Amino acid sequence: MLRHAARRLASRAAAAGSGSMSRRALATAQAPAEAGEDPAFLEAWKKVTTIIEPPQTPMSAMKPRPPTPASIPSKLTVNFVLPYKSEITDKEVDMVMVPATTGLMGILPGHVSTIAELKPGVMSVHEGNDVTKYFVSSGFAFIHANSIADVVAVEAVPLDQIDQSLVQKGLAEFTAKLGSASTDLEKAEAQIGVDVHSALSAALTG
Amino acid sequence: MAMAMAALRREGRRVLLNTPSPAATMAALSRAASQSQIAPLGARSISTQIVRNRMKSVKNIQKITKAMKMVAASKLRAVQTRTENSRGLWQPFTALLGDAPSVNVKKNVIVAITSDKGLCGGINSTSVKVSKALQKMTSGPEKESKYVILGEKGKVQLIRDSRKHIEMTVSELQKNPINYTQVAVLADDILKNVEYDAIRVVFNKFQSVISFRPTLATILSPEVMEKESESGGKVGQLDSYEIEGGETKSEILQNLTEFQFSCVMYNAVLENACSELGARMSAMDSSSRNAGEMLDRLTLTYNRTRQASITTELTEIISGASALEG
């Protein structure tokens, strides 16, 4: 009898424990979603309809970014994304060099927050003695105050995958096109081709 | 002797049934006519022809839905990887510019992303419902809200009651596998043809094969963005950022928002395609299951009727035999 009582007690305690656990788990699951929502939007939405649930917003679907630390961290956190791939995600490195339209830009931890447009060129990620080089076509780099750098590019390839002879051939082709271009559109297209190919050949030789 | 008696009895019954009243004759005729569709006149057993036909058609439908499920499942796998890989693309923009779904501007554009094909559960009506609510929310006396619709199904649903608000429709986006270039061209096309202060992209975000969530991404025009950042509004601390390159700040901001729109669109189109395939897969799964259940029921009815007619025939034979003996 006593043994039964003990067992019942134990099972109840376990049930209560698991109950509270599941409740707590639910609470934590909901918290970040609510943090990302815009209260003014939710209010406006409720005025229009109460039947349809308000849609999710991108803010609630992404991991919140850390606040700016008081002292400058020793490493830079880099995100490097392409349409078809996240090349680098939350990687801590020493330095990143990006080809901004104003010139090559080195980003170290504690860099002032900047928005930079990128031109075709070499982006390099320095991690200790390892240097990874990519050729990026174009895009944007955002440097945040919390020593996080985001690089968004349309296309990027590791530099060692580029064929030198094809680059020379492409360069010659586009230079010829630029010479024979008649309309503004053709001219602009040829100019882009020449720019990209000359940047490529400069990246390979230099 | 006994045989002659039986024949006479049957004849007598038939004679008795043929009453001279015209109304009754008509009733008998119409009954005969309605029966003749099921069984030829005078046949004693119940015909199972209709049930058999029905079973055949249900079986065919089941085959089709099963095949559609398989096709959706195999397509889903490829699209899902691409979708998951594209999820990083919009995050830098949101981290930089924040997200302002409640922004109050004059010219609103709602980009509703739907599918071209049906038979995929409720994803299109979800997109449409959210877009309609959003249109109601963002239109008022001093502001207007227009639709840009991607996909045939959303167009069909919205054209009924919001024809005057539709600015542009695009379909057959998914003929080829979705790639960034194609979406960027489309985004450029939208930006060129539509005047906007804020673009709201409504799509279904893929969560799992059985679930998706309607999602709203907001993109502000460069002017609004500049205004909001100056007044310390909803676009993060854009003012604290130094801007490199370009001739003016507004030029860079324009490039930035256009690039943001194409990136958001790329992810949104992929997410929606992925949700569509997932929804189709589960819809087709449940309809093949339903068809299976229906087939079971029909088979049961069919067998029962067959059994009943066999029993009747047996009874007739036995009673005939016993009548002969007696």
Side-chain angles (χ1 to χ4, degrees), chain B residues 68-87:
Chain B
M68 283 182 81
K69 184 195 155 192
M70 291 300 177
V71 170
S74 69
K75 277 189 188 166
L76 177 73
R77 207 163 300 146
V79 177
Q80 191 178 347
T81 358
R82 290 161 67 88
T83 307
E84 277 161 6
N85 284 338
S86 78
R87 280 196 181 144

Side-chain angles (χ1 to χ4, degrees), chain B residues 26-322:
Chain B
M26 283 299 289
L29 272 177
S30 72
R31 202 187 316 140
S34 73
Q35 271 177 354
S36 70
Q37 287 170 358
I38 304 171
L41 190 62
R44 265 178 299 165
S45 62
I46 305 155
S47 168
T48 48
Q49 186 69 42
I50 286 187
V51 181
R52 247 182 291 146
N53 281 348
R54 189 71 200 277
M55 277 164 69
K56 210 189 276 171
S57 76
V58 169
K59 219 180 269 172
N60 283 343
I61 289 171
Q62 191 187 26
K63 267 184 209 157
I64 293 169
T65 54
K66 261 187 188 158
M68 283 182 81
K69 184 195 155 192
M70 291 300 177
V71 170
S74 69
K75 277 189 188 166
L76 177 73
R77 207 163 300 146
V79 177
Q80 191 178 347
T81 358
R82 290 161 67 88
T83 307
E84 277 161 6
N85 284 338
S86 78
R87 280 196 181 144
L89 193 62
W90 53 267
Q91 295 198 10
F93 294 100
T94 310
L96 176 73
L97 304 168
D99 187 31
S102 63
V103 72
N104 197 353
V105 289
K106 255 192 187 160
K107 282 178 245 158
N108 292 284
V109 174
I110 298 168
V111 179
I113 300 183
T114 59
S115 69
D116 280 335
K117 291 180 196 153
L119 292 180
C120 48
I123 74 157
N124 293 322
S125 55
T126 316
S127 274
V128 167
K129 269 185 213 156
V130 170
S131 307
K132 273 188 185 168
L134 205 62
Q135 204 266 348
K136 225 189 216 172
M137 197 181 104
T138 52
S139 57
E142 292 231 319
K143 40 187 191 173
E144 54 164 4
S145 189
K146 296 274 185 197
Y147 290 116
V148 171
I149 307 167
L150 267 68
E152 204 60 42
K153 290 286 154 187
K155 185 174 123 193
V156 170
Q157 289 190 32
L158 278 168
I159 214 161
R160 271 185 244 149
D161 55 350
S162 326
R163 181 185 280 269
K164 59 179 187 294
H165 297 302
I166 297 177
E167 187 88 11
M168 176 176 173
T169 59
V170 183
S171 55
E172 297 197 338
L173 192 65
Q174 286 182 46
K175 244 183 177 175
N176 310 317
I178 297 158
N179 62 30
Y180 178 76
T181 321
Q182 179 193 2
V183 176
V185 169
L186 172 71
D188 201 39
D189 213 30
I190 293 175
L191 289 176
K192 258 188 222 154
N193 292 316
V194 179
E195 277 185 28
Y196 70 101
D197 285 333
I199 300 182
R200 295 158 206 270
V201 184
V202 178
F203 61 98
N204 289 298
K205 193 174 162 66
F206 178 80
Q207 280 185 316
S208 71
V209 177
I210 48 163
S211 79
F212 53 87
R213 279 201 69 175
T215 306
L216 164 71
T218 314
I219 292 127
L220 303 176
S221 74
E223 297 86 44
V224 172
M225 181 115 63
E226 213 158 343
K227 221 189 311 166
E228 287 281 333
S229 72
E230 272 162 19
S231 63
K234 291 148 184 146
V235 289
Q237 289 91 33
L238 190 64
D239 246 11
S240 71
Y241 284 84
E242 259 180 39
I243 291 182
E244 291 264 338
E247 273 147 31
T248 54
K249 187 183 173 186
S250 61
E251 193 182 311
I252 288 273
L253 276 183
Q254 188 178 355
N255 287 347
L256 187 65
T257 46
E258 281 176 8
F259 190 37
Q260 180 193 15
F261 181 56
S262 73
C263 290
V264 168
M265 280 288 282
Y266 178 65
N267 177 246
V269 167
L270 271 176
E271 294 274 2
N272 204 67
C274 201
S275 303
E276 178 199 340
L277 289 173
R280 177 166 300 132
M281 206 175 124
S282 56
M284 289 301 116
D285 185 45
S286 64
S287 55
S288 352
R289 208 176 315 124
N290 278 348
E293 274 167 24
M294 192 184 262
L295 199 60
D296 284 351
R297 267 207 313 276
L298 283 176
T299 316
L300 197 66
T301 321
Y302 173 74
N303 284 342
R304 224 178 245 164
T305 324
R306 197 170 54 100
Q307 194 66 51
S309 73
I310 291 169
T311 315
T312 318
E313 271 168 22
L314 272 178
T315 320
E316 273 174 5
I317 292 165
I318 293 166
S319 57
S322 71

Side-chain angles (χ1 to χ4, degrees), chain A residues 38 41 45 48 55-59 62 65 81 83-84 101-102 113-115 117 140 142-144 150 152 154, chain B residues 85-86 88 90 92 94 96 99 102 133 136-137 205 214-216 240-245 252 255-256 259 266:
Chain A
D38 186 338
F41 171 70
W45 182 268
V48 178
Q56 201 184 19
T57 49
M59 212 53 156
M62 71 181 269
R65 293 294 172 95
V81 292
Y84 53 89
T101 42
T102 46
S113 43
T114 310
I115 299 170
E117 205 175 346
F140 270 96
F142 311 137
I143 302 136
H144 303 283
D150 291 322
V152 191
V154 175
Chain B
N85 284 338
S86 78
W90 53 267
T94 310
L96 176 73
D99 187 31
S102 63
K136 225 189 216 172
M137 197 181 104
K205 193 174 162 66
T215 306
L216 164 71
S240 71
Y241 284 84
E242 259 180 39
I243 291 182
E244 291 264 338
I252 288 273
N255 287 347
L256 187 65
F259 190 37
Y266 178 65

Side-chain angles (χ1 to χ4, degrees), chain A residues 131-154:
Chain A
V131 180
T132 324
K133 283 187 175 174
Y134 298 94
F135 186 83
V136 297
S137 61
S138 61
F140 270 96
F142 311 137
I143 302 136
H144 303 283
N146 48 11
S147 292
I148 293 181
D150 291 322
V151 183
V152 191
V154 175

